[in-house]
PDB file of all heavy atoms in Angstrom:
ATOM      1  N   ARG O  17     105.893  59.824  99.814  1.00 95.00           N
ATOM      2  CA  ARG O  17     104.653  59.049  99.783  1.00 95.00           C
ATOM      3  C   ARG O  17     104.441  58.317 101.107  1.00 95.00           C
ATOM      4  O   ARG O  17     103.351  58.349 101.678  1.00 95.00           O
ATOM      5  CB  ARG O  17     104.703  58.056  98.617  1.00 95.00           C
ATOM      6  CG  ARG O  17     103.445  57.213  98.489  1.00 95.00           C
ATOM      7  CD  ARG O  17     103.579  56.273  97.324  1.00 95.00           C
ATOM      8  NE  ARG O  17     103.537  57.005  96.073  1.00 95.00           N
ATOM      9  CZ  ARG O  17     102.489  57.011  95.256  1.00 95.00           C
ATOM     10  NH1 ARG O  17     101.406  56.319  95.567  1.00 95.00           N
ATOM     11  NH2 ARG O  17     102.517  57.681  94.143  1.00 95.00           N
ATOM     12  N   GLY O  27      98.123  62.912 111.431  1.00 92.00           N
ATOM     13  CA  GLY O  27      98.259  64.372 111.414  1.00 92.00           C
ATOM     14  C   GLY O  27      97.104  65.118 110.790  1.00 92.00           C
ATOM     15  O   GLY O  27      97.298  66.179 110.206  1.00 92.00           O
ATOM     16  N   LEU O 144     116.836  87.825  94.634  1.00 98.00           N
ATOM     17  CA  LEU O 144     117.655  87.107  93.653  1.00 98.00           C
ATOM     18  C   LEU O 144     117.424  85.612  93.813  1.00 98.00           C
ATOM     19  O   LEU O 144     117.505  85.072  94.915  1.00 98.00           O
ATOM     20  CB  LEU O 144     119.144  87.435  93.849  1.00 98.00           C
ATOM     21  CG  LEU O 144     120.096  86.774  92.843  1.00 98.00           C
ATOM     22  CD1 LEU O 144     119.810  87.226  91.422  1.00 98.00           C
ATOM     23  CD2 LEU O 144     121.545  87.055  93.218  1.00 98.00           C
ATOM     24  N   ALA O 193     110.948  78.584  99.041  1.00 98.00           N
ATOM     25  CA  ALA O 193     111.158  77.345  98.289  1.00 98.00           C
ATOM     26  C   ALA O 193     109.820  76.640  98.094  1.00 98.00           C
ATOM     27  O   ALA O 193     108.800  77.055  98.665  1.00 98.00           O
ATOM     28  CB  ALA O 193     112.139  76.440  99.007  1.00 98.00           C
ATOM     29  N   LEU O 206     108.019  76.914 101.486  1.00 98.00           N
ATOM     30  CA  LEU O 206     108.751  77.320 102.694  1.00 98.00           C
ATOM     31  C   LEU O 206     108.998  78.816 102.636  1.00 98.00           C
ATOM     32  O   LEU O 206     109.329  79.354 101.578  1.00 98.00           O
ATOM     33  CB  LEU O 206     110.118  76.624 102.774  1.00 98.00           C
ATOM     34  CG  LEU O 206     110.204  75.103 102.687  1.00 98.00           C
ATOM     35  CD1 LEU O 206     111.656  74.656 102.918  1.00 98.00           C
ATOM     36  CD2 LEU O 206     109.286  74.450 103.694  1.00 98.00           C
ATOM     37  N   GLY O 227     101.713  84.020 112.150  1.00 95.00           N
ATOM     38  CA  GLY O 227     101.007  85.122 111.488  1.00 95.00           C
ATOM     39  C   GLY O 227     101.492  85.385 110.069  1.00 95.00           C
ATOM     40  O   GLY O 227     101.117  86.386 109.465  1.00 95.00           O
ATOM     41  N   ALA O 254     125.869  62.791  95.308  1.00 98.00           N
ATOM     42  CA  ALA O 254     126.116  61.695  94.368  1.00 98.00           C
ATOM     43  C   ALA O 254     125.246  61.839  93.131  1.00 98.00           C
ATOM     44  O   ALA O 254     125.706  61.676  91.994  1.00 98.00           O
ATOM     45  CB  ALA O 254     125.846  60.357  95.072  1.00 98.00           C
ATOM     46  N   ARG O 309     105.027  62.764  71.244  1.00 95.00           N
ATOM     47  CA  ARG O 309     104.582  61.575  70.509  1.00 95.00           C
ATOM     48  C   ARG O 309     105.630  60.472  70.566  1.00 95.00           C
ATOM     49  O   ARG O 309     105.299  59.288  70.613  1.00 95.00           O
ATOM     50  CB  ARG O 309     104.294  61.934  69.040  1.00 95.00           C
ATOM     51  CG  ARG O 309     102.908  62.491  68.855  1.00 95.00           C
ATOM     52  CD  ARG O 309     102.520  62.685  67.408  1.00 95.00           C
ATOM     53  NE  ARG O 309     103.494  62.155  66.458  1.00 95.00           N
ATOM     54  CZ  ARG O 309     103.293  62.115  65.156  1.00 95.00           C
ATOM     55  NH1 ARG O 309     102.168  62.585  64.653  1.00 95.00           N
ATOM     56  NH2 ARG O 309     104.221  61.634  64.340  1.00 95.00           N
ATOM     57  N   MET O 334     118.322  87.406  78.467  1.00 96.00           N
ATOM     58  CA  MET O 334     119.657  86.924  78.096  1.00 96.00           C
ATOM     59  C   MET O 334     120.013  87.327  76.670  1.00 96.00           C
ATOM     60  O   MET O 334     121.188  87.271  76.275  1.00 96.00           O
ATOM     61  CB  MET O 334     119.711  85.393  78.213  1.00 96.00           C
ATOM     62  CG  MET O 334     119.591  84.872  79.649  1.00 96.00           C
ATOM     63  SD  MET O 334     119.216  83.091  79.730  1.00 96.00           S
ATOM     64  CE  MET O 334     120.708  82.386  79.035  1.00 96.00           C
ATOM     65  N   ALA O 386     121.122  91.704  44.765  1.00 88.00           N
ATOM     66  CA  ALA O 386     120.983  93.146  44.988  1.00 88.00           C
ATOM     67  C   ALA O 386     121.813  93.554  46.187  1.00 88.00           C
ATOM     68  O   ALA O 386     122.171  92.725  47.025  1.00 88.00           O
ATOM     69  CB  ALA O 386     119.512  93.500  45.244  1.00 88.00           C
TER      70      ALA O 386
END
Side-chain angles (χ1 to χ4, degrees):
Chain O
R17 181 180 290 254
L144 182 62
L206 306 185
R309 276 188 7 174
M334 293 165 66

